[in-house]
Amino acid sequence: PQDLSTWSLQYAGVQGTTWTRVNLTGSVAPGGFYYVRFFTGDGNADVPFTPNATSTLNLSGRRGRVALSSAQTTYAGN
């Protein structure tokens, strides 16, 4: 299993320099999955699984950057 207690998922708009971070917790088994639920619009979207982490972050449907980081330090800049 991979311990995710120091990992984060980060997002910035395609032209933006401000990143938003979601800290991850727990672990993921080899060949397993780790689900992160982001903003769902009405907040009531049905999903067929229980997310491991949740965020109110609204990802762009067209353009943006997502980074998986082994640290929980927020990125800055491009």
Side-chain angles (χ1 to χ4, degrees):
Q2 175 65 52
D3 177 17
L4 300 176
S5 64
T6 62
W7 290 63
S8 65
L9 192 62
Q10 303 194 35
Y11 172 81
V14 70
Q15 304 259 338
T17 59
T18 301
W19 289 81
T20 304
R21 183 183 82 227
V22 177
N23 291 337
L24 306 182
T25 61
S27 62
V28 62
F33 296 90
Y34 190 94
Y35 295 104
V36 179
R37 180 178 179 170
F38 289 97
F39 181 72
T40 60
D42 64 8
N44 295 316
D46 290 329
V47 291
F49 52 83
T50 301
N52 299 90
T54 58
S55 172
T56 58
L57 179 63
N58 188 7
L59 301 178
S60 170
R62 299 186 67 191
R63 299 173 68 186
R65 297 170 286 165
V66 176
L68 177 63
S69 174
S70 62
Q72 292 183 342
T73 303
T74 305
Y75 291 157
N78 286 327

